[in-house]
Amino acid sequence: MKIPYNYLDRQFGPAETEAILDDLRALVRTGEFTIGPPVLEFERRFGEMIGVKHVIGTNTGTDALILALKALNIGPGDEIITQVNTFYATVGAIVAVGARPVFVDVDDQYAIDAGLVEAAITPRTKAILPVYWTGLPPDMPAIMGLAHRHGLYVVEDACPATGAAYAGKAAGSFGHAAGFSMHPLKPLHVWGDGGAVTTADDQAAEWLRRYRNHGMVNRDEIEMWGVNQRLQTVQAVVANRMLDRVAGWVDRRIEIANRLDVGLADVAPVRLPPRPPERRNAFQLYIVRCERRDELLKYLTAEGVEAKVHYPIPLHLQPAARDLGYKRGTFPIAEAQAEDIVTLPGHQFLTDLEVDYMIDRVHRFYRR
């Protein structure tokens, strides 16, 4: 049996593809390819879905994070606290605005350890950038309380977390701003790249709408020197077709994760993370810790299970981070997790039979 990590060929079969192409043909007839009505529709509907006042569509999730930071006047000389085991784009966005990333270690759920953040605050700290890594909400109430006490901004990296929530409050609705990604393998996805910034700040939203579109007030006037980081209308057409399905897709991902948890619970060499009931995990990634990780990966691959590692090298040990001054041993939890984490396919298009096959193959490996 082949259990793919990438599910897009299952999702975009002939009927679904033709339906989207019909929407695109309708767009072609309008000729409105730049911030056309589909972009405005997406921004309105996405805002309603997660309960935020403003949504500003962007070209990518990385752009969303960069623009969110810029909208809060974060730049050279500022420090941004974030976790050390996130995807490169989190830190790339911090560096892109001229700020300095300051790492903290993570907890046993692979989320930023909120208890370690305060010790990382310096007079140069301007913001905290918590990440919904794997799709799991970090301890946002604790982070927001800490930020309030210290007068700091919070920018949520909710790129992998459309459909996630903490105690019923949606990812992207806690901080001063948040960034979302619509990369093809994110819970909300398009036919390429796309992103969005969310904020309740009227002034920041107005700035974002202008800046992402060259700073234009109208065709003949600009208010500032801006950039072109707007959401492409073609991608908004695809996003609008996906929006109503995200909650159901995340429900199915949660169901699959629960099935995997139950099936792997009695495998002693596999360590499952805690599953706090107040946190709705979008499960963009299903990650567990496994003994003999590299051997297990080789075995699963041979058995048709497309397992992966996200990621084997923590960011403070990457060549790009040399100038930050961190050393091996600085973040022991993230470093230990990098040695034994495994990502199993957990997408919404898996069948129960395929999930059971994965569970069986993990059992077989450790019985050998």
Side-chain angles (χ1 to χ4, degrees):
M1 188 177 288
K2 298 295 183 183
I3 315 296
Y5 177 81
N6 187 321
Y7 53 84
L8 296 175
D9 61 334
R10 297 187 178 193
Q11 178 176 352
F12 296 112
E16 178 70 7
T17 299
E18 280 303 313
I20 294 172
L21 290 175
D22 284 343
D23 292 345
L24 293 174
R25 291 182 187 105
L27 173 66
V28 170
R29 289 192 291 271
T30 72
E32 299 196 64
F33 295 117
T34 305
I35 313 188
V39 173
L40 303 180
E41 178 189 352
F42 164 75
E43 292 175 341
R44 175 185 59 78
R45 292 176 60 199
F46 192 53
E48 291 172 353
M49 185 175 115
I50 64 175
V52 294
K53 187 174 182 181
H54 301 287
V55 173
I56 299 90
T58 63
N59 194 45
T60 68
T62 306
D63 285 345
L65 292 173
I66 292 170
L67 292 178
L69 294 171
K70 281 182 172 290
L72 299 174
N73 295 311
I74 294 170
D78 295 330
E79 292 181 351
I80 311 297
I81 297 171
T82 193
Q83 65 195 67
V84 72
N85 64 343
T86 179
F87 180 61
Y88 321 127
T90 306
V91 179
I94 294 171
V95 174
V97 302
R100 181 180 179 85
V102 174
F103 293 132
V104 297
D105 213 341
V106 296
D107 59 22
D108 54 4
Q109 301 170 78
Y110 324 118
I112 188 170
D113 189 331
L116 301 177
V117 172
E118 191 159 27
I121 296 173
T122 75
R124 294 178 298 279
T125 305
K126 192 73 171 287
I128 305 168
L129 207 168
V131 184
Y132 288 71
W133 189 232
T134 78
L136 175 80
D139 189 347
M140 290 308 302
I143 291 168
M144 293 304 300
L146 180 64
H148 179 73
R149 291 195 301 273
H150 289 271
L152 303 175
Y153 290 117
V154 174
V155 177
E156 300 168 70
D157 183 345
C159 285
T162 302
Y166 191 110
K169 186 172 172 62
S173 66
F174 285 88
H176 299 87
F180 285 87
S181 171
M182 293 186 286
H183 176 278
L185 293 180
K186 294 294 192 292
L188 174 62
H189 49 276
V190 294
W191 279 3
D193 279 312
V197 181
T198 62
T199 184
D201 186 319
D202 295 341
Q203 185 174 350
E206 182 61 24
W207 183 91
L208 283 161
R209 291 191 179 98
R210 296 273 173 85
Y211 186 77
R212 66 151 181 197
N213 191 31
H214 301 292
M216 294 168 60
V217 178
N218 53 52
R219 183 181 179 279
D220 300 315
E221 296 177 275
I222 62 167
E223 185 177 78
M224 67 186 83
W225 299 113
V227 295
N228 179 1
Q229 291 178 304
R230 60 198 176 220
L231 176 63
Q232 299 300 304
T233 305
V234 167
Q235 301 298 356
V237 168
V238 182
N240 285 328
R241 183 163 282 274
M242 303 296 113
L243 272 175
D244 290 337
R245 308 183 198 181
V246 172
W249 284 337
V250 172
D251 286 344
R252 176 57 179 162
R253 284 175 178 258
I254 292 170
E255 183 181 336
I256 288 170
N258 290 340
R259 193 180 187 94
L260 286 167
D261 281 356
V262 170
L264 298 175
D266 62 347
V267 184
V270 176
R271 293 171 56 188
L272 305 175
R275 307 294 190 195
E278 74 277 7
R279 306 190 197 191
R280 176 176 164 86
N281 191 337
F283 282 106
Q284 196 257 330
L285 301 173
Y286 178 89
I287 296 180
V288 292
R289 301 181 68 180
C290 300
E291 295 177 11
R292 297 162 54 203
R293 190 266 304 283
D294 293 343
E295 294 176 55
L296 174 64
L297 280 173
K298 185 177 180 180
Y299 175 81
L300 291 176
T301 300
E303 293 293 310
V305 178
E306 195 178 358
K308 296 181 180 294
V309 177
H310 293 84
Y311 289 97
I313 305 175
L315 291 182
H316 70 295
L317 300 178
Q318 293 282 355
R322 288 192 191 101
D323 66 333
L324 298 178
Y326 296 112
K327 297 179 181 179
R328 185 174 294 278
T330 307
F331 304 108
I333 304 301
E335 291 175 28
Q337 290 173 355
E339 294 291 330
D340 61 14
I341 51 174
V342 174
T343 303
L344 296 176
H347 57 78
Q348 61 269 27
F349 295 97
L350 293 172
T351 66
D352 288 349
L353 182 63
E354 289 173 323
V355 176
D356 291 343
Y357 177 86
M358 284 194 289
I359 294 168
D360 175 73
R361 287 314 185 263
V362 173
H363 276 265
R364 289 190 184 201
F365 172 79
Y366 286 114
R367 286 201 305 262
R368 295 192 308 165

